[in-house]
Amino acid sequence: GLRRRLWGDARAAQAFLADRMCWLEHMALDPNTGTDPENVAVRSVSGLEAVESLLGGYEVWARATQAWIAEGHGVDGLSALTFDWRLAPEALDRRDAYFSRMRARIESMALRRPTAIVTHSYASLLFLAFLRWIESPQRQPGWTDKNVKAWVNLAGPIFGVPKALSALLSGEMKDSAVMGELGVFLSNAVVPAQERTKLFRTWGSLLTMLPWPDNRVWTAAPGESDCMLRFGKEG
């Protein structure tokens, strides 16, 4: 059909098992544009239900939303702005006008009460990109102080993360993409490392999470060898 679930639930597992190569082709991005391949359009599901759990019970935000409601705040005080986590921030904004949508959603929430932004993992880098965008001189300097009361960053790779490099070089995904049934999806027995590597290299999000090549961020401890991977030449 024209609409099929490719990620996050039992229907996604069925789509993968029915035709692995078709699933991989649809999950890949155009390596030149960083967005949709020709004749393929994959979009994120919206709403709180989309972020509460994955893959048959792997809880993401479910307990947080339940605790919020149990405290008597009400569901109207919550909002989930989902996104396609494969895309780099700039590509996501270019394709989906994501930064403009985020601005409108936060401004709407801020009209009712002080707004706190909670991000996890790659979403933290996406929010940072949004802040740079909104605070640029040609847009709305001072917007953040007016509309955002607090930002909670949960395990966001602000300075990058080494495992993004291993994923791009060899398709290795230990401690990163393995969660619940996903480990079965992309295991070597089902998807060879070469195919995973080809897929991962189309995702701009992984490039965004590469470690910063800056000794102020990644330095060796006293007495240890410098394990910093350097790109280009110095001096």
Side-chain angles (χ1 to χ4, degrees), residues 141-175:
W143 181 93
T144 307
D145 289 339
K146 180 180 178 182
N147 291 279
V148 179
K149 182 70 173 180
W151 173 30
V152 181
N153 168 24
L154 300 177
I158 300 301
F159 299 118
V161 59
K163 61 189 176 186
L165 183 61
S166 60
L168 290 168
L169 289 177
S170 65
E172 190 275 321
M173 59 180 209
K174 182 180 179 181
D175 299 328

PDB file of all heavy atoms in Angstrom, residues 141-175:
ATOM      1  N   PRO A 141      16.619  37.321  17.504  1.00  0.00           N
ATOM      2  CA  PRO A 141      17.507  37.312  18.678  1.00  0.00           C
ATOM      3  C   PRO A 141      16.725  37.622  19.950  1.00  0.00           C
ATOM      4  O   PRO A 141      15.869  38.516  19.972  1.00  0.00           O
ATOM      5  CB  PRO A 141      18.504  38.431  18.353  1.00  0.00           C
ATOM      6  CG  PRO A 141      18.488  38.546  16.864  1.00  0.00           C
ATOM      7  CD  PRO A 141      17.065  38.250  16.457  1.00  0.00           C
ATOM      8  N   GLY A 142      16.984  36.847  20.995  1.00  0.00           N
ATOM      9  CA  GLY A 142      16.247  37.020  22.238  1.00  0.00           C
ATOM     10  C   GLY A 142      15.000  36.158  22.344  1.00  0.00           C
ATOM     11  O   GLY A 142      14.342  36.141  23.394  1.00  0.00           O
ATOM     12  N   TRP A 143      14.694  35.424  21.297  1.00  0.00           N
ATOM     13  CA  TRP A 143      13.489  34.583  21.294  1.00  0.00           C
ATOM     14  C   TRP A 143      13.539  33.528  22.392  1.00  0.00           C
ATOM     15  O   TRP A 143      12.542  33.250  23.044  1.00  0.00           O
ATOM     16  CB  TRP A 143      13.348  33.904  19.932  1.00  0.00           C
ATOM     17  CG  TRP A 143      12.143  33.032  19.781  1.00  0.00           C
ATOM     18  CD1 TRP A 143      10.924  33.366  19.277  1.00  0.00           C
ATOM     19  CD2 TRP A 143      12.043  31.639  20.145  1.00  0.00           C
ATOM     20  NE1 TRP A 143      10.073  32.296  19.298  1.00  0.00           N
ATOM     21  CE2 TRP A 143      10.739  31.215  19.831  1.00  0.00           C
ATOM     22  CE3 TRP A 143      12.927  30.716  20.692  1.00  0.00           C
ATOM     23  CZ2 TRP A 143      10.295  29.908  20.052  1.00  0.00           C
ATOM     24  CZ3 TRP A 143      12.482  29.417  20.926  1.00  0.00           C
ATOM     25  CH2 TRP A 143      11.186  29.028  20.606  1.00  0.00           C
ATOM     26  N   THR A 144      14.702  32.934  22.618  1.00  0.00           N
ATOM     27  CA  THR A 144      14.825  31.841  23.590  1.00  0.00           C
ATOM     28  C   THR A 144      14.493  32.315  25.002  1.00  0.00           C
ATOM     29  O   THR A 144      13.733  31.656  25.730  1.00  0.00           O
ATOM     30  CB  THR A 144      16.243  31.249  23.557  1.00  0.00           C
ATOM     31  OG1 THR A 144      16.576  30.891  22.210  1.00  0.00           O
ATOM     32  CG2 THR A 144      16.337  30.017  24.438  1.00  0.00           C
ATOM     33  N   ASP A 145      15.032  33.454  25.415  1.00  0.00           N
ATOM     34  CA  ASP A 145      14.754  33.973  26.755  1.00  0.00           C
ATOM     35  C   ASP A 145      13.270  34.265  26.945  1.00  0.00           C
ATOM     36  O   ASP A 145      12.744  34.141  28.055  1.00  0.00           O
ATOM     37  CB  ASP A 145      15.557  35.255  26.993  1.00  0.00           C
ATOM     38  CG  ASP A 145      17.039  34.985  27.156  1.00  0.00           C
ATOM     39  OD1 ASP A 145      17.396  33.832  27.487  1.00  0.00           O
ATOM     40  OD2 ASP A 145      17.844  35.905  26.933  1.00  0.00           O
ATOM     41  N   LYS A 146      12.601  34.628  25.896  1.00  0.00           N
ATOM     42  CA  LYS A 146      11.179  34.975  25.983  1.00  0.00           C
ATOM     43  C   LYS A 146      10.287  33.740  26.043  1.00  0.00           C
ATOM     44  O   LYS A 146       9.243  33.759  26.711  1.00  0.00           O
ATOM     45  CB  LYS A 146      10.786  35.839  24.781  1.00  0.00           C
ATOM     46  CG  LYS A 146       9.315  36.255  24.766  1.00  0.00           C
ATOM     47  CD  LYS A 146       9.012  37.102  23.541  1.00  0.00           C
ATOM     48  CE  LYS A 146       7.531  37.482  23.495  1.00  0.00           C
ATOM     49  NZ  LYS A 146       7.201  38.277  22.275  1.00  0.00           N
ATOM     50  N   ASN A 147      10.676  32.660  25.375  1.00  0.00           N
ATOM     51  CA  ASN A 147       9.764  31.526  25.193  1.00  0.00           C
ATOM     52  C   ASN A 147      10.176  30.231  25.893  1.00  0.00           C
ATOM     53  O   ASN A 147       9.338  29.337  26.030  1.00  0.00           O
ATOM     54  CB  ASN A 147       9.606  31.240  23.700  1.00  0.00           C
ATOM     55  CG  ASN A 147       8.859  32.324  22.968  1.00  0.00           C
ATOM     56  OD1 ASN A 147       7.630  32.383  22.980  1.00  0.00           O
ATOM     57  ND2 ASN A 147       9.609  33.216  22.314  1.00  0.00           N
ATOM     58  N   VAL A 148      11.428  30.099  26.295  1.00  0.00           N
ATOM     59  CA  VAL A 148      11.900  28.845  26.898  1.00  0.00           C
ATOM     60  C   VAL A 148      12.355  29.100  28.328  1.00  0.00           C
ATOM     61  O   VAL A 148      13.286  29.863  28.561  1.00  0.00           O
ATOM     62  CB  VAL A 148      13.052  28.233  26.071  1.00  0.00           C
ATOM     63  CG1 VAL A 148      13.544  26.956  26.736  1.00  0.00           C
ATOM     64  CG2 VAL A 148      12.589  27.953  24.648  1.00  0.00           C
ATOM     65  N   LYS A 149      11.697  28.443  29.273  1.00  0.00           N
ATOM     66  CA  LYS A 149      12.054  28.585  30.685  1.00  0.00           C
ATOM     67  C   LYS A 149      13.253  27.722  31.059  1.00  0.00           C
ATOM     68  O   LYS A 149      14.112  28.124  31.848  1.00  0.00           O
ATOM     69  CB  LYS A 149      10.850  28.192  31.554  1.00  0.00           C
ATOM     70  CG  LYS A 149      11.060  28.341  33.052  1.00  0.00           C
ATOM     71  CD  LYS A 149      11.146  29.793  33.460  1.00  0.00           C
ATOM     72  CE  LYS A 149      11.189  29.944  34.962  1.00  0.00           C
ATOM     73  NZ  LYS A 149      11.273  31.364  35.381  1.00  0.00           N
ATOM     74  N   ALA A 150      13.303  26.504  30.516  1.00  0.00           N
ATOM     75  CA  ALA A 150      14.381  25.574  30.860  1.00  0.00           C
ATOM     76  C   ALA A 150      14.562  24.562  29.741  1.00  0.00           C
ATOM     77  O   ALA A 150      13.634  24.292  28.969  1.00  0.00           O
ATOM     78  CB  ALA A 150      14.068  24.856  32.171  1.00  0.00           C
ATOM     79  N   TRP A 151      15.763  24.017  29.682  1.00  0.00           N
ATOM     80  CA  TRP A 151      16.062  22.937  28.732  1.00  0.00           C
ATOM     81  C   TRP A 151      16.734  21.816  29.502  1.00  0.00           C
ATOM     82  O   TRP A 151      17.748  22.017  30.174  1.00  0.00           O
ATOM     83  CB  TRP A 151      16.975  23.439  27.608  1.00  0.00           C
ATOM     84  CG  TRP A 151      17.461  22.346  26.697  1.00  0.00           C
ATOM     85  CD1 TRP A 151      16.819  21.190  26.380  1.00  0.00           C
ATOM     86  CD2 TRP A 151      18.711  22.314  25.991  1.00  0.00           C
ATOM     87  NE1 TRP A 151      17.570  20.435  25.510  1.00  0.00           N
ATOM     88  CE2 TRP A 151      18.733  21.101  25.246  1.00  0.00           C
ATOM     89  CE3 TRP A 151      19.780  23.196  25.897  1.00  0.00           C
ATOM     90  CZ2 TRP A 151      19.806  20.747  24.455  1.00  0.00           C
ATOM     91  CZ3 TRP A 151      20.854  22.842  25.097  1.00  0.00           C
ATOM     92  CH2 TRP A 151      20.861  21.626  24.374  1.00  0.00           C
ATOM     93  N   VAL A 152      16.158  20.603  29.399  1.00  0.00           N
ATOM     94  CA  VAL A 152      16.702  19.410  30.040  1.00  0.00           C
ATOM     95  C   VAL A 152      17.276  18.509  28.950  1.00  0.00           C
ATOM     96  O   VAL A 152      16.534  18.020  28.087  1.00  0.00           O
ATOM     97  CB  VAL A 152      15.625  18.660  30.842  1.00  0.00           C
ATOM     98  CG1 VAL A 152      16.237  17.427  31.510  1.00  0.00           C
ATOM     99  CG2 VAL A 152      14.976  19.572  31.869  1.00  0.00           C
ATOM    100  N   ASN A 153      18.572  18.316  28.989  1.00  0.00           N
ATOM    101  CA  ASN A 153      19.264  17.501  27.994  1.00  0.00           C
ATOM    102  C   ASN A 153      19.557  16.129  28.600  1.00  0.00           C
ATOM    103  O   ASN A 153      20.361  16.006  29.525  1.00  0.00           O
ATOM    104  CB  ASN A 153      20.561  18.205  27.566  1.00  0.00           C
ATOM    105  CG  ASN A 153      21.471  17.316  26.757  1.00  0.00           C
ATOM    106  OD1 ASN A 153      21.033  16.353  26.136  1.00  0.00           O
ATOM    107  ND2 ASN A 153      22.759  17.619  26.770  1.00  0.00           N
ATOM    108  N   LEU A 154      18.927  15.095  28.072  1.00  0.00           N
ATOM    109  CA  LEU A 154      19.116  13.735  28.567  1.00  0.00           C
ATOM    110  C   LEU A 154      20.003  12.955  27.598  1.00  0.00           C
ATOM    111  O   LEU A 154      19.579  12.594  26.504  1.00  0.00           O
ATOM    112  CB  LEU A 154      17.762  13.028  28.715  1.00  0.00           C
ATOM    113  CG  LEU A 154      16.747  13.664  29.671  1.00  0.00           C
ATOM    114  CD1 LEU A 154      15.439  12.888  29.642  1.00  0.00           C
ATOM    115  CD2 LEU A 154      17.303  13.727  31.081  1.00  0.00           C
ATOM    116  N   ALA A 155      21.239  12.725  28.004  1.00  0.00           N
ATOM    117  CA  ALA A 155      22.187  11.908  27.231  1.00  0.00           C
ATOM    118  C   ALA A 155      22.373  12.423  25.812  1.00  0.00           C
ATOM    119  O   ALA A 155      22.569  11.640  24.878  1.00  0.00           O
ATOM    120  CB  ALA A 155      21.732  10.445  27.206  1.00  0.00           C
ATOM    121  N   GLY A 156      22.346  13.724  25.645  1.00  0.00           N
ATOM    122  CA  GLY A 156      22.574  14.294  24.328  1.00  0.00           C
ATOM    123  C   GLY A 156      24.056  14.363  24.004  1.00  0.00           C
ATOM    124  O   GLY A 156      24.844  14.834  24.828  1.00  0.00           O
ATOM    125  N   PRO A 157      24.469  13.913  22.827  1.00  0.00           N
ATOM    126  CA  PRO A 157      25.892  13.918  22.466  1.00  0.00           C
ATOM    127  C   PRO A 157      26.340  15.297  21.980  1.00  0.00           C
ATOM    128  O   PRO A 157      26.666  15.496  20.808  1.00  0.00           O
ATOM    129  CB  PRO A 157      25.963  12.876  21.347  1.00  0.00           C
ATOM    130  CG  PRO A 157      24.618  12.972  20.686  1.00  0.00           C
ATOM    131  CD  PRO A 157      23.641  13.288  21.790  1.00  0.00           C
ATOM    132  N   ILE A 158      26.370  16.260  22.897  1.00  0.00           N
ATOM    133  CA  ILE A 158      26.626  17.649  22.531  1.00  0.00           C
ATOM    134  C   ILE A 158      27.977  17.804  21.818  1.00  0.00           C
ATOM    135  O   ILE A 158      28.118  18.594  20.876  1.00  0.00           O
ATOM    136  CB  ILE A 158      26.583  18.546  23.775  1.00  0.00           C
ATOM    137  CG1 ILE A 158      25.194  18.463  24.445  1.00  0.00           C
ATOM    138  CG2 ILE A 158      26.903  19.994  23.406  1.00  0.00           C
ATOM    139  CD1 ILE A 158      24.053  18.885  23.549  1.00  0.00           C
ATOM    140  N   PHE A 159      28.980  17.072  22.257  1.00  0.00           N
ATOM    141  CA  PHE A 159      30.300  17.159  21.640  1.00  0.00           C
ATOM    142  C   PHE A 159      30.575  15.984  20.703  1.00  0.00           C
ATOM    143  O   PHE A 159      31.723  15.711  20.364  1.00  0.00           O
ATOM    144  CB  PHE A 159      31.377  17.226  22.724  1.00  0.00           C
ATOM    145  CG  PHE A 159      31.248  18.416  23.616  1.00  0.00           C
ATOM    146  CD1 PHE A 159      31.011  18.270  24.973  1.00  0.00           C
ATOM    147  CD2 PHE A 159      31.350  19.694  23.091  1.00  0.00           C
ATOM    148  CE1 PHE A 159      30.886  19.380  25.787  1.00  0.00           C
ATOM    149  CE2 PHE A 159      31.225  20.810  23.902  1.00  0.00           C
ATOM    150  CZ  PHE A 159      30.993  20.655  25.257  1.00  0.00           C
ATOM    151  N   GLY A 160      29.534  15.298  20.302  1.00  0.00           N
ATOM    152  CA  GLY A 160      29.698  14.142  19.438  1.00  0.00           C
ATOM    153  C   GLY A 160      29.862  12.863  20.232  1.00  0.00           C
ATOM    154  O   GLY A 160      29.958  12.879  21.457  1.00  0.00           O
ATOM    155  N   VAL A 161      29.880  11.752  19.517  1.00  0.00           N
ATOM    156  CA  VAL A 161      30.000  10.463  20.190  1.00  0.00           C
ATOM    157  C   VAL A 161      30.833   9.524  19.312  1.00  0.00           C
ATOM    158  O   VAL A 161      30.588   9.408  18.106  1.00  0.00           O
ATOM    159  CB  VAL A 161      28.605   9.873  20.482  1.00  0.00           C
ATOM    160  CG1 VAL A 161      27.798   9.680  19.199  1.00  0.00           C
ATOM    161  CG2 VAL A 161      28.695   8.577  21.252  1.00  0.00           C
ATOM    162  N   PRO A 162      31.868   8.868  19.866  1.00  0.00           N
ATOM    163  CA  PRO A 162      32.756   8.013  19.043  1.00  0.00           C
ATOM    164  C   PRO A 162      32.039   6.902  18.297  1.00  0.00           C
ATOM    165  O   PRO A 162      32.447   6.537  17.196  1.00  0.00           O
ATOM    166  CB  PRO A 162      33.737   7.458  20.076  1.00  0.00           C
ATOM    167  CG  PRO A 162      33.774   8.494  21.159  1.00  0.00           C
ATOM    168  CD  PRO A 162      32.362   9.008  21.247  1.00  0.00           C
ATOM    169  N   LYS A 163      30.971   6.341  18.856  1.00  0.00           N
ATOM    170  CA  LYS A 163      30.330   5.207  18.198  1.00  0.00           C
ATOM    171  C   LYS A 163      29.660   5.597  16.881  1.00  0.00           C
ATOM    172  O   LYS A 163      29.379   4.719  16.053  1.00  0.00           O
ATOM    173  CB  LYS A 163      29.308   4.558  19.133  1.00  0.00           C
ATOM    174  CG  LYS A 163      28.178   5.453  19.581  1.00  0.00           C
ATOM    175  CD  LYS A 163      27.369   4.757  20.664  1.00  0.00           C
ATOM    176  CE  LYS A 163      26.267   5.665  21.218  1.00  0.00           C
ATOM    177  NZ  LYS A 163      25.574   5.044  22.356  1.00  0.00           N
ATOM    178  N   ALA A 164      29.433   6.897  16.645  1.00  0.00           N
ATOM    179  CA  ALA A 164      28.927   7.319  15.336  1.00  0.00           C
ATOM    180  C   ALA A 164      29.961   7.025  14.258  1.00  0.00           C
ATOM    181  O   ALA A 164      29.621   6.650  13.125  1.00  0.00           O
ATOM    182  CB  ALA A 164      28.584   8.803  15.357  1.00  0.00           C
ATOM    183  N   LEU A 165      31.227   7.169  14.606  1.00  0.00           N
ATOM    184  CA  LEU A 165      32.301   6.905  13.645  1.00  0.00           C
ATOM    185  C   LEU A 165      32.374   5.424  13.300  1.00  0.00           C
ATOM    186  O   LEU A 165      32.503   5.053  12.128  1.00  0.00           O
ATOM    187  CB  LEU A 165      33.632   7.394  14.214  1.00  0.00           C
ATOM    188  CG  LEU A 165      34.855   7.271  13.309  1.00  0.00           C
ATOM    189  CD1 LEU A 165      34.666   8.083  12.031  1.00  0.00           C
ATOM    190  CD2 LEU A 165      36.106   7.713  14.040  1.00  0.00           C
ATOM    191  N   SER A 166      32.275   4.566  14.308  1.00  0.00           N
ATOM    192  CA  SER A 166      32.341   3.125  14.040  1.00  0.00           C
ATOM    193  C   SER A 166      31.147   2.670  13.205  1.00  0.00           C
ATOM    194  O   SER A 166      31.275   1.782  12.361  1.00  0.00           O
ATOM    195  CB  SER A 166      32.412   2.337  15.350  1.00  0.00           C
ATOM    196  OG  SER A 166      31.264   2.579  16.151  1.00  0.00           O
ATOM    197  N   ALA A 167      29.989   3.289  13.411  1.00  0.00           N
ATOM    198  CA  ALA A 167      28.820   2.937  12.597  1.00  0.00           C
ATOM    199  C   ALA A 167      29.030   3.301  11.143  1.00  0.00           C
ATOM    200  O   ALA A 167      28.669   2.552  10.233  1.00  0.00           O
ATOM    201  CB  ALA A 167      27.580   3.634  13.155  1.00  0.00           C
ATOM    202  N   LEU A 168      29.640   4.463  10.903  1.00  0.00           N
ATOM    203  CA  LEU A 168      29.863   4.921   9.531  1.00  0.00           C
ATOM    204  C   LEU A 168      30.984   4.148   8.838  1.00  0.00           C
ATOM    205  O   LEU A 168      30.939   3.918   7.632  1.00  0.00           O
ATOM    206  CB  LEU A 168      30.189   6.414   9.528  1.00  0.00           C
ATOM    207  CG  LEU A 168      29.027   7.341   9.875  1.00  0.00           C
ATOM    208  CD1 LEU A 168      29.537   8.757  10.130  1.00  0.00           C
ATOM    209  CD2 LEU A 168      28.001   7.357   8.755  1.00  0.00           C
ATOM    210  N   LEU A 169      31.997   3.749   9.604  1.00  0.00           N
ATOM    211  CA  LEU A 169      33.133   3.058   9.002  1.00  0.00           C
ATOM    212  C   LEU A 169      32.847   1.598   8.707  1.00  0.00           C
ATOM    213  O   LEU A 169      33.262   1.070   7.678  1.00  0.00           O
ATOM    214  CB  LEU A 169      34.353   3.158   9.926  1.00  0.00           C
ATOM    215  CG  LEU A 169      35.021   4.528  10.039  1.00  0.00           C
ATOM    216  CD1 LEU A 169      36.156   4.473  11.045  1.00  0.00           C
ATOM    217  CD2 LEU A 169      35.534   4.994   8.679  1.00  0.00           C
ATOM    218  N   SER A 170      32.134   0.925   9.620  1.00  0.00           N
ATOM    219  CA  SER A 170      31.994  -0.527   9.470  1.00  0.00           C
ATOM    220  C   SER A 170      30.587  -1.059   9.692  1.00  0.00           C
ATOM    221  O   SER A 170      30.369  -2.261   9.599  1.00  0.00           O
ATOM    222  CB  SER A 170      32.939  -1.221  10.464  1.00  0.00           C
ATOM    223  OG  SER A 170      32.549  -0.940  11.800  1.00  0.00           O
ATOM    224  N   GLY A 171      29.626  -0.177  10.005  1.00  0.00           N
ATOM    225  CA  GLY A 171      28.278  -0.656  10.283  1.00  0.00           C
ATOM    226  C   GLY A 171      28.113  -1.192  11.685  1.00  0.00           C
ATOM    227  O   GLY A 171      27.059  -1.736  12.032  1.00  0.00           O
ATOM    228  N   GLU A 172      29.135  -1.049  12.516  1.00  0.00           N
ATOM    229  CA  GLU A 172      29.060  -1.514  13.912  1.00  0.00           C
ATOM    230  C   GLU A 172      28.022  -0.703  14.651  1.00  0.00           C
ATOM    231  O   GLU A 172      27.927   0.509  14.495  1.00  0.00           O
ATOM    232  CB  GLU A 172      30.436  -1.359  14.565  1.00  0.00           C
ATOM    233  CG  GLU A 172      30.539  -2.024  15.924  1.00  0.00           C
ATOM    234  CD  GLU A 172      30.039  -1.120  17.039  1.00  0.00           C
ATOM    235  OE1 GLU A 172      30.296   0.089  16.992  1.00  0.00           O
ATOM    236  OE2 GLU A 172      29.384  -1.636  17.957  1.00  0.00           O
ATOM    237  N   MET A 173      27.199  -1.365  15.463  1.00  0.00           N
ATOM    238  CA  MET A 173      26.116  -0.654  16.139  1.00  0.00           C
ATOM    239  C   MET A 173      25.977  -1.055  17.602  1.00  0.00           C
ATOM    240  O   MET A 173      24.953  -0.833  18.216  1.00  0.00           O
ATOM    241  CB  MET A 173      24.787  -0.906  15.422  1.00  0.00           C
ATOM    242  CG  MET A 173      24.392  -2.369  15.347  1.00  0.00           C
ATOM    243  SD  MET A 173      22.837  -2.611  14.498  1.00  0.00           S
ATOM    244  CE  MET A 173      22.273  -4.108  15.320  1.00  0.00           C
ATOM    245  N   LYS A 174      27.009  -1.621  18.171  1.00  0.00           N
ATOM    246  CA  LYS A 174      26.962  -2.012  19.577  1.00  0.00           C
ATOM    247  C   LYS A 174      26.697  -0.797  20.450  1.00  0.00           C
ATOM    248  O   LYS A 174      27.291   0.254  20.277  1.00  0.00           O
ATOM    249  CB  LYS A 174      28.277  -2.667  19.986  1.00  0.00           C
ATOM    250  CG  LYS A 174      28.290  -3.157  21.425  1.00  0.00           C
ATOM    251  CD  LYS A 174      29.628  -3.792  21.761  1.00  0.00           C
ATOM    252  CE  LYS A 174      29.654  -4.271  23.203  1.00  0.00           C
ATOM    253  NZ  LYS A 174      30.960  -4.863  23.569  1.00  0.00           N
ATOM    254  N   ASP A 175      25.788  -0.925  21.407  1.00  0.00           N
ATOM    255  CA  ASP A 175      25.453   0.117  22.385  1.00  0.00           C
ATOM    256  C   ASP A 175      24.790   1.337  21.763  1.00  0.00           C
ATOM    257  O   ASP A 175      24.615   2.350  22.436  1.00  0.00           O
ATOM    258  CB  ASP A 175      26.703   0.598  23.141  1.00  0.00           C
ATOM    259  CG  ASP A 175      27.361  -0.521  23.914  1.00  0.00           C
ATOM    260  OD1 ASP A 175      26.624  -1.405  24.362  1.00  0.00           O
ATOM    261  OD2 ASP A 175      28.585  -0.509  24.049  1.00  0.00           O
TER     262      ASP A 175
END
